[in-house]
Amino acid sequence: MPHSVTSDAPTPPNGTDSTMTDATAQNGDSQAASARNPDDVAMAGADTDASNGEGSKEVKLEELFADVDSDDEFPSSRPAEQKTPSSSSLETPSSPENNGPSLSASDPELMRTFYQRLFPWRQLFQWLNHSPTPTNDFGHREFAFTLQNDAYLRYQSFPTADLLRKDVLRLLPSRFEIGPVYSTNPRDRKTLRNSAAFKPLSKELCFDIDLTDYDEIRTCCDKANICDSCWRFMVMAIKVLDAALREDFGFRHILWVYSGRRGAHAWVCDKKARTMDDQKRRAIAGYLEVVKGSSQGGKKVNLRRPLHPHLSRSLDILAPHFQTDVLAEQDPWASEERSDKLLALLPDKNLNASLGAKWASSPERASTAKWADIDVVAKAGGLAKDQADAPRRLLEAKQDIVLEYTYPRLDIEVSKKLNHLLKSPFVVHPGTGRVCVPIDTRDPDALDAFSPLGVPTVQGLLAEIDRWSGGGGGGDDENDGDEAGAEVKQEAGAKSMQDWEKTSLKPYVEYFRSFVVGLMKDERDPRVKREREEDGSMEF
């Protein structure tokens, strides 16, 4: 998966020229023209809303996490006849699904409906803000937009989620990314006399895993194609990395998100992770990187012995998956060519010759049988007689092979730098239409059951709203703030429902909200704050 930046002068995705980082292409597109000076355009909107007092209202924590969350601050759905919008607001569109099934996921009207009615803006704000009232954690956070014409806008920032929402609805980006919190508002960076004063201060520690990095070992799919069989590599990776981040580094708030096509992202949200500098991020990334080398072949796992406890634990986690998901499901050494790759990973020439002859006589032999053959032939005298350490070297080689075929293959550059941007949760992948939903890792059974092919699509979600017959209206009522209306509503026992609650997106938003609740409580706990200060050095 391409990423937006890995350095101070990043190259935008999709081949966009670096000159696009602060403005859009001069191509005559009406959307690009409206954003040719994004700082001025967006700040004009921010100034208008700021004059209306938005973003300054104090919110009580108990209200912020109420069980019945109306999301009044960030409305998501409203029948058109309920209220006439002001000139600065956008009318809630009806679902464009009725226009026909041919709409692509990147269709602007489809995206407008999704971002206005289904995207969980309130929860996103709470996740990035770390406080019930607006802070610099959100206000100085960088957002980057990829527009429909592939123009790329960096250094966008917003004091509230409502202003972010309005700009997304105005620009209708194909996706947006989240960057670091800077020392000052990113929009003001050009006004600083000392450019060195503008620097990233904090950001979640992120990890990215892409199934294209498994193409040499997965046999069911390749490139951007995925299925439930090769998704098992993602399940293995999540289990190993999640265990290491929690048990070896003490992190507690780790959000795993499906990338929308062929991978997964991890956001480590603990404050001690967010405030780490690049040196510490590189150290953690190096600690977790095991599979190295290019796709041109050769041994990619070379470990010292005795194994580090992290690797021993990883082997315990991965061994069952190796038998079922790799040997039985992928059958990675079915062909003669692939069998030769396995032999190249074994250290004993005598053993290799015996195995090669055995497999040549049985070309249809399955990978599970070939893996068992290694020990059978070795015990039958296949190892070199003049090497006393041959059994130990064979055992170590087999451990390395298990790890090479199961251990997470990280896009390591994503994790090394504080100023790297990563796609936001809950955006829609323009190619597949799938929503980038969080993956519930609390229950191992739920993780095992997760299927990327069953993730909600934007077209399907809007069709679900069209089929909704339970009533409930939109996210906020026309009588908000009206005592008489509130009394009638209370007497009727009605509950205001958000549109996402009417769809298959509901369990993902609810999981995300519960994750945010835990993070917020941790941020406010004095005991946890004290422990963070004591452990802040994180020596490696």
Side-chain angles (χ1 to χ4, degrees):
M1 281 169 284
H3 292 277
S4 303
V5 297
T6 54
S7 64
D8 292 335
T11 300
N14 302 325
T16 308
D17 188 88
S18 60
T19 58
M20 304 301 296
T21 54
D22 289 337
T24 62
Q26 307 292 326
N27 63 357
D29 185 278
S30 60
Q31 189 179 46
S34 68
R36 206 160 269 145
N37 191 339
D39 291 351
D40 295 341
V41 173
M43 283 307 294
D47 292 342
T48 301
D49 290 314
S51 66
N52 294 331
E54 288 190 34
S56 61
K57 183 180 179 181
E58 185 171 343
V59 183
K60 294 181 180 180
L61 186 60
E62 56 269 24
E63 295 175 355
L64 198 61
F65 298 118
D67 289 336
V68 180
D69 190 348
S70 68
D71 279 358
D72 293 338
E73 186 180 355
F74 313 121
S76 67
S77 174
R78 176 199 312 274
E81 69 272 16
Q82 275 192 334
K83 189 175 182 179
T84 302
S86 65
S87 58
S88 62
S89 65
L90 292 166
E91 183 180 0
T92 301
S94 61
S95 168
E97 189 71 18
N98 292 329
N99 295 335
S102 60
L103 287 177
S104 70
S106 59
D107 181 89
E109 288 310 308
L110 204 65
M111 296 306 298
R112 183 191 305 279
T113 305
F114 173 80
Y115 282 122
Q116 186 147 8
R117 301 183 67 178
L118 293 170
F119 192 91
W121 295 106
R122 186 185 187 94
Q123 288 78 18
L124 184 82
F125 170 78
Q126 294 166 354
W127 172 48
L128 298 175
N129 189 62
H130 312 115
S131 173
T133 55
T135 69
N136 286 343
D137 279 6
F138 190 86
H140 288 183
R141 173 83 69 161
E142 177 187 0
F143 294 88
F145 298 154
T146 301
L147 302 185
Q148 297 287 341
N149 63 351
D150 285 341
Y152 189 58
L153 304 185
R154 279 203 59 189
Y155 300 113
Q156 307 300 293
S157 60
F158 307 90
T160 68
D162 196 37
L163 297 179
L164 168 62
R165 173 179 175 270
K166 288 178 179 178
D167 227 27
V168 168
L169 289 172
R170 179 177 64 86
L171 296 172
L172 295 179
S174 58
R175 74 176 188 181
F176 65 87
E177 296 169 311
I178 299 171
V181 178
Y182 281 93
S183 52
T184 189
N185 190 320
R187 295 184 186 275
D188 298 335
R189 69 196 182 286
K190 293 181 179 178
T191 66
L192 299 175
R193 293 183 178 180
N194 181 10
S195 59
F198 180 68
K199 58 183 180 180
L201 299 180
S202 66
K203 184 182 149 294
E204 293 76 12
L205 174 64
C206 295
F207 296 90
D208 180 18
I209 316 165
D210 194 320
L211 274 173
T212 53
D213 292 325
Y214 292 77
D215 278 358
E216 64 177 314
I217 60 174
R218 60 174 177 157
T219 60
C220 51
C221 306
D222 65 353
K223 299 179 181 178
N225 303 306
I226 65 168
C227 66
D228 286 332
S229 293
C230 56
W231 181 257
R232 300 300 297 170
F233 288 112
M234 286 293 114
V235 173
M236 301 177 219
I238 291 172
K239 288 181 178 180
V240 167
L241 290 181
D242 200 77
L245 291 168
R246 294 180 190 278
E247 297 177 24
D248 299 346
F249 296 98
F251 297 130
R252 299 178 57 192
H253 304 285
I254 306 168
L255 181 70
W256 286 95
V257 180
Y258 169 52
S259 70
R261 171 166 277 180
R262 59 180 184 265
H265 301 154
W267 299 75
V268 185
C269 304
D270 303 60
K271 188 167 186 177
K272 66 179 180 181
R274 302 197 310 266
T275 55
M276 288 191 303
D277 58 23
D278 286 351
Q279 182 180 1
K280 291 175 181 176
R281 291 169 190 262
R282 285 194 299 269
I284 291 181
Y287 176 90
L288 295 171
E289 187 181 27
V290 171
V291 181
K292 303 177 183 180
S294 68
S295 59
Q296 303 305 314
K299 198 168 186 288
K300 292 182 172 56
V301 174
N302 296 278
L303 302 174
R304 297 180 184 179
R305 264 56 182 193
L307 287 176
H308 188 279
H310 160 60
L311 296 173
S312 296
R313 178 186 60 229
S314 298
L315 276 172
D316 290 340
I317 294 172
L318 296 169
H321 289 284
F322 180 73
Q323 291 291 333
T324 58
D325 299 325
V326 177
L327 295 183
E329 189 71 26
Q330 293 292 326
D331 198 6
W333 307 308
S335 68
E336 181 178 355
E337 180 184 0
R338 287 180 174 268
S339 293
D340 289 342
K341 291 183 179 180
L342 171 60
L343 293 176
L345 299 176
L346 298 174
D348 193 292
K349 292 182 180 180
N350 289 351
L351 176 64
N352 290 1
S354 300
L355 289 171
K358 182 180 180 67
W359 297 342
S361 65
S362 304
E364 302 301 323
R365 199 164 178 80
S367 295
T368 49
K370 289 179 179 178
W371 183 251
D373 288 341
I374 296 175
D375 284 342
V376 172
V377 173
K379 291 178 181 178
L383 293 175
K385 305 296 184 182
D386 57 343
Q387 297 180 14
D389 64 342
R392 177 185 59 79
R393 291 174 59 237
L394 177 59
L395 174 62
E396 293 174 356
K398 290 184 66 180
Q399 291 175 336
D400 289 351
I401 292 170
V402 171
L403 291 172
E404 183 163 333
Y405 278 77
T406 57
Y407 191 88
R409 299 187 171 209
L410 302 173
D411 183 351
I412 206 67
E413 296 304 318
V414 173
S415 309
K416 289 182 177 180
K417 285 188 175 290
L418 185 63
N419 68 342
H420 205 290
L421 287 89
L422 194 61
K423 184 166 49 180
S424 170
F426 290 101
V427 301
V428 175
H429 191 286
T432 65
R434 298 183 192 127
V435 181
C436 300
V437 295
I439 302 171
D440 190 347
T441 57
R442 297 170 298 184
D443 179 4
D445 292 336
L447 173 58
D448 284 327
F450 180 88
S451 170
L453 305 181
V455 165
T457 64
V458 62
Q459 297 97 327
L461 290 170
L462 297 179
E464 289 175 34
I465 294 178
D466 288 343
R467 293 192 298 266
W468 174 258
S469 59
D476 42 43
D477 191 273
E478 63 178 339
N479 294 317
D480 282 348
D482 185 327
E483 285 188 24
E487 289 174 1
V488 170
K489 186 175 179 180
Q490 185 175 7
E491 289 175 3
K495 176 186 175 183
S496 178
M497 292 187 68
Q498 299 298 296
D499 277 335
W500 57 260
E501 293 181 279
K502 307 170 188 175
T503 71
S504 54
L505 197 62
K506 179 178 179 180
Y508 301 102
V509 177
E510 289 180 337
Y511 169 67
F512 184 49
R513 181 161 58 181
S514 69
F515 176 87
V516 173
V517 169
L519 176 62
M520 290 279 288
K521 288 181 177 178
D522 203 349
E523 293 281 327
R524 297 175 66 244
D525 188 339
R527 176 181 56 82
V528 174
K529 288 183 178 179
R530 185 167 58 252
E531 290 176 357
R532 275 201 308 259
E533 293 171 358
E534 294 172 356
D535 297 340
S537 60
M538 289 194 69
E539 298 293 341
F540 293 96

